[in-house]
Structures are given as C-alpha cells and as structure tokens.
Amino acid sequence: MTTLARGLDTLTRDALAVLQPGFTGTTAPDWVLRRLGEGLGSVGIFGRNIASSEQLAALTAQLRAEREDLLVAIDEEGGDVTRLEVRTGSSFPGNLALGAVDDTALTQAVAREMGRRLAACGVNLDWAPSADVNSNPDNPVIGVRAFGADPQLVARHTAAYIRGLQGAGVAACTKHFPGHGDTAVDSHHAMPRIDADLDTLTARELIPFRAAVAAGTKAVMSAHILVPALDSALPATLSPAALHGLLRAPVSEGGLGFEGLIVTDGMEMRAISAAYGIERGSVLAIAAGADAICVGGGLSDEDTVVRLRDALVAAVRAGELPEARLADAAARVRALGDWARQSGGPGAAEGIAPAPEAGLRAARRALRVTPGDQPYEPPTGPAFVAAFTPMANIAVGDETPWGVAAELARLLPGTGTATYGQRDAEGAEGAEGAVDGATGGVPALIANVLGKAADRRIVAVVRDVHRHPWMADALDTLLAARPDTVVVEMGVPQAPPTGALHIATHGAARVCGLAAAEVITGGVAGG
C-alpha cells in the first residue's frame, strides 16, 4: 500500500477527498495511484474501464492496494444504463420494467443480484437507483429509467432497490434530487426547469426521496435542474436551499433529514459547465452542501483533478468556501469509505447465493402483450427486424446494443435486420435509399424495409414512439402495407398498441429483447 504523501496540508487532502474523478484505461494510470496516496477518496468507473468482470476485479484490487477505504463508484442502473455490460446489453431490466411488475420483492432480488455482481468486482458505490417520478412522458432523459409516474409506486420500489443493493454491501446513491421526472430538457445539454409549486413537489417529487432516506440510502445525487419553488437563481446542485435547507434539514423543520453523502451529478454536464464552469461550479456545490464532486464521464484526465483541487483550495483561502464545510464534506466521504470497507467487497459477494436468472425472470414478467384483430401466428422461418432508432441520450450512450434482432436471430436463424433513423425518414442525403419507385422520406424508408424483408415476417422495433413523429409516421405507413407486422415498443409505452402483435418491454436491456423474442416465436412469457 502506498504511504500517504508527506508535505501536503490538510486543506489540500480534503480538496482531493471530495472529488470522484474518472480515468481512461483498464488498468489504473500512475497519476490516479499517486493522487490516492495524496488523499483522493473516490474514483468513478465507466464502460471504457471495463473489458470483463475479471479485469474489473483486478483493476479495483489495484486501486484498493493504494487505499483500503477507497470508494469505487459506477453508474450501473441496469436496463438501458449499464457499464458492466456496456458492449452486450444488461442482464437486468431497468426501473420501468420493475415498476410495471410492481413486485417489491422482485425489485429487491434484482438489486441484490446486481449488488452481488458489483461487489464481486470490487465496486462499492452505485450511482443508482433513479427515484425520479416520470410525470412528463416527453421527458428525454429519464423515461424508462424511472419506476413509473406514480410517486407511491416509485417510492416503494426505490426503497426495495436500496435494501437489495446495500444488502449486498454496495452503497446506493439515490438520484436525481429533488427529482428530474417533470423535465423536457436533458441536463447533459442545457438547464432544465421545473415550475411546480412546493406543494406539488412535496406530493410528487419528494415522496420517493423521503422513502429513500427512510430506507437508509447511503448517498443521494443532486440534479442540475432549476426549481424556482426552492431557489429562483441556482440549480439544485448549487443551491443551499435545496441541499442544506431541504435535503439536510430535520424532518421537524420540513426537510428530509438526510445525514449521508451528497454527490453531484456529473459537473461537466452543460447545465453546469456552460453557465458556471466546472471549477466555479464545484466550489458552489460544496458550499451549498454537496460532499462529493462527480466528474469523469467526459473529462477523465489528471489536469481536471488538479484544476478542481486547486479551485477548492483557493476558494477556502479567499474566504469564498468555509474550511469547515470542506472538512465536513471530506469527512463524510471517508465515513462512507469506512462503511464500504467493512460491509462490501468480494467477501460480501461470497456470502450471497448467485441468482443469474433473476433479471430474465423480471424481464419476462414485465412484458405487456396486446394481440391484434386476428389470431397471431408465430413465424416459422426467418424474420426481418426493422429498428426505428432515436438518438441515444448521453446517460445511455450509443455503444450499448439494444433491440430484438440478435436474440431473434438465435431463435430464427437467417433473421435479418436494418436500422433506420430520423435522417432516413426525412429523406436526408445518406439515407438508405428508395426502392420500388419511392422518392424520399417515409415512403422511401418503408419501401426499403419492404424490399429487404421480402416475404419474411417484419418485426418493427421502436423506442418512445410517442415522442418521435417521424417514427410514428413510419410505423403507420409500414402497418398499412404489412398489417401482419409485429411491433415491439422498448421505451415508455405511451402510444396505443398497434400491429398484429404489440409487445411493450418497458426497457431496452438485452434481457428485455430476449423476453420479447421468446414471445414473438411463440415461447415463454410471464417468467
């Protein structure tokens, strides 16, 4: 184990302690190991750091050899947002699927198995679950990441998820406080705003977070959203009123009474970085009551760590940030590190019986299958999958595969697939091109689908079709031409069911695709 570097003052160590940076590579860079010796208390793991479970376990062991109480954090929600299985798709359905089943014992079991796998890899802090109430169906960034649109349902499943995850020795970080569900803007790109009054927030957004605190969540992640009912000027991540005045305040004073670690959402997200810069934003966040600065999804270099460390130190020395506040934040990081060292790790995983089929069973139970007007006849030969694909949000990323094509091809060898996006529907240059005389836009797209499918059964895969007019138009045109088309909705099933068979999976995880493929071919459902 590296001996802590001498000559660094307490202030500098505290500034390093509150950072949760990322890095590149599947082994730890020298600069990360050196900073751990200087006081860095956390690191974030992303898909770029993971090649396999065995490699991740070796990486976390390498890191922990430098600091036993290190927090190794990951953004592993399951479902659409996965880092452990970023290149294959998740073995677990996401929150909306679990909410659709509405079996809290199942949610707890799924989270416990996820926690077991994380602990076995040496990960001890999960930036999950999302406790957002998806009250706005047009939300571009939450959607299937929420358990649903009913606050009480979200609350009971948030609590169950926390119990499962922390029962496996992995600290939960409930997000995105005070609630990102009623937004129409993605905070990765700009500043969302929620104009609900305080009574509405209390009766909707805050209910799951109160349940999370009652369930003992070890951490809460703040959201980069402006909520004028709490603070008319500053987003929640930077707002003393939101963090100190609401999240930390005693229940007797109308607060949530949370005593654990407050973690910011990624500070490089444009809702913060474009308006404040990451240095100023980090200072304001710690001053407001945050304890840990998450940065590293987009910025993953030593210079970022040095810049933020120096900005915090300079702010204390300039009287802009109370030294006691920084010391308190660093102490909370170290306290959670101590809990994780005693409760988590591979030892905790060894004490839990593996449940490798938990995710698939949940995905099967989450399916909602609606037959068309005529009796459904499963295909007996190869099918053709037309995937109508929206642009992925940054939280999900575009490297994780989704859909049913791969799983259907295993069940129906010879199944083909093609992907179509908004550019194809609008007839933009570079679209796949027209056949059968179609001249552009949606007619050309559908002519392309029909030409490639030939006499094979068509399976149309969509994602949040209610949010994408081009996708709805394409689906309507396809169904007019081929009424026997199967429709698989892998987002929020807001639009009315259509097709010879309509399957709502409530998420796009690999297991959701497998469960849908089984039903398409006349197989298992209900798990």
Side-chain angles (χ1 to χ4, degrees):
M1 179 182 295
T2 298
T3 302
L4 288 177
R6 298 188 182 278
L8 288 178
D9 57 73
T10 300
L11 176 58
T12 302
R13 291 189 184 283
D14 286 349
L16 277 171
V18 303
L19 303 181
Q20 291 191 347
F23 57 89
T24 57
T26 53
T27 58
D30 288 343
W31 71 262
V32 171
L33 301 178
R34 185 172 65 255
R35 299 301 175 187
L36 291 174
E38 295 174 356
L40 184 67
S42 312
V43 295
I45 298 295
F46 297 87
R48 61 177 178 251
N49 304 120
I50 301 173
S52 67
S53 295
E54 295 75 17
Q55 168 271 324
L56 178 57
L59 169 59
T60 59
Q62 179 191 15
L63 292 164
R64 204 155 275 120
E66 305 297 322
R67 183 174 185 132
E68 289 182 346
D69 63 347
L70 178 68
L71 290 173
V72 179
I74 198 168
D75 194 9
E76 183 63 43
E77 299 177 15
D80 290 28
V81 179
T82 179
R83 308 300 178 230
L84 279 182
E85 300 176 279
V86 67
R87 293 170 188 84
T88 61
S90 182
S91 300
F92 303 96
N95 284 3
L96 188 63
L98 296 172
V101 179
D102 196 12
D103 179 345
T104 54
L106 176 68
T107 294
Q108 185 167 334
V110 167
R112 186 175 176 86
E113 172 62 12
M114 181 182 292
R116 185 194 69 81
R117 295 190 195 182
L118 290 173
C121 294
V123 175
N124 55 16
L125 173 60
D126 190 6
W127 292 319
S130 291
D132 307 293
V133 178
N134 198 56
S135 54
N136 181 354
D138 290 331
N139 194 310
V141 68
I142 301 300
V144 297
R145 300 169 64 197
F147 289 110
D150 176 68
Q152 297 295 341
L153 179 145
V154 175
R156 59 180 174 267
H157 287 277
T158 295
Y161 196 106
I162 291 165
R163 290 193 297 269
L165 198 62
Q166 294 186 169
V170 176
C173 183
T174 306
K175 60 188 183 186
H176 305 81
F177 182 83
H180 210 312
D182 190 21
T183 59
V185 173
D186 183 345
S187 52
H188 292 90
H189 302 298
M191 181 74 73
R193 177 185 175 110
I194 294 180
D195 284 313
D197 59 29
L198 189 57
D199 288 344
T200 300
L201 293 174
T202 300
R204 189 177 65 186
E205 273 77 10
L206 297 182
I207 285 178
F209 288 98
R210 291 191 188 278
V213 173
T217 186
K218 294 296 180 180
V220 169
M221 178 176 282
S222 65
H224 306 328
I225 56 176
L226 187 66
V227 186
L230 300 178
D231 192 319
S232 61
L234 294 169
T237 292
L238 312 183
S239 170
L243 301 187
H244 179 74
L246 178 59
L247 184 52
R248 286 270 189 244
V251 174
S252 61
E253 298 176 12
L256 275 66
F258 179 61
E259 292 293 336
L261 192 75
I262 299 177
V263 183
T264 72
D265 208 344
M267 296 301 284
E268 65 267 52
M269 294 164 62
R270 288 193 61 78
I272 297 296
S273 62
Y276 302 93
I278 61 168
E279 295 96 332
R280 181 64 178 159
S282 295
V283 170
L284 291 173
I286 297 294
D291 305 305
I293 300 297
C294 176
V295 61
L299 299 172
S300 54
D301 57 285
E302 183 177 16
D303 180 62
T304 298
V305 172
V306 172
R307 285 163 53 203
L308 295 183
R309 178 202 67 187
D310 291 351
L312 291 167
V313 170
V316 171
R317 290 177 175 163
E320 299 173 355
L321 173 64
E323 185 171 1
R325 171 77 277 272
L326 180 61
D328 173 64
R332 290 179 189 275
V333 172
R334 296 178 188 122
L336 184 55
D338 285 340
W339 175 88
R341 177 174 55 83
Q342 297 171 23
S343 304
E350 291 171 2
I352 299 174
E357 295 298 308
L360 179 57
R361 287 198 300 270
R364 286 168 173 163
R365 289 181 64 187
L367 295 184
R368 297 295 179 264
V369 181
T370 306
D373 295 334
Q374 302 298 321
Y376 175 69
E377 295 292 336
T380 56
F384 179 77
V385 178
F388 299 119
T389 306
M391 183 178 296
N393 72 59
I394 292 175
V396 174
D398 58 8
E399 60 181 327
T400 303
W402 67 281
V404 301
E407 305 299 340
L408 200 57
R410 294 188 184 101
L411 299 174
L412 298 175
T415 292
T417 186
T419 298
Y420 304 89
Q422 186 170 356
R423 284 175 56 84
D424 302 289
E426 294 173 348
E429 184 177 354
E432 294 214 34
V435 294
D436 292 343
T439 57
V442 168
L445 185 158
I446 299 306
N448 188 278
V449 173
L450 297 175
K452 288 186 173 182
D455 60 353
R456 292 178 290 183
R457 175 71 65 85
I458 297 174
V459 178
V461 180
V462 295
R463 200 165 173 172
D464 291 345
V465 69
H466 68 283
R467 291 201 300 115
H468 303 286
W470 71 267
M471 193 184 296
D473 290 345
L475 186 59
D476 288 346
T477 304
L478 175 59
L479 290 172
R482 287 284 296 270
D484 64 339
T485 295
V486 174
V487 177
V488 182
E489 169 61 85
M490 304 196 80
V492 178
Q494 188 76 14
T498 55
L501 191 70
H502 184 277
I503 304 172
T505 61
H506 299 92
R510 178 178 56 82
V511 287
C512 296
L514 173 55
E518 291 171 341
V519 170
I520 291 168
T521 56
V524 180

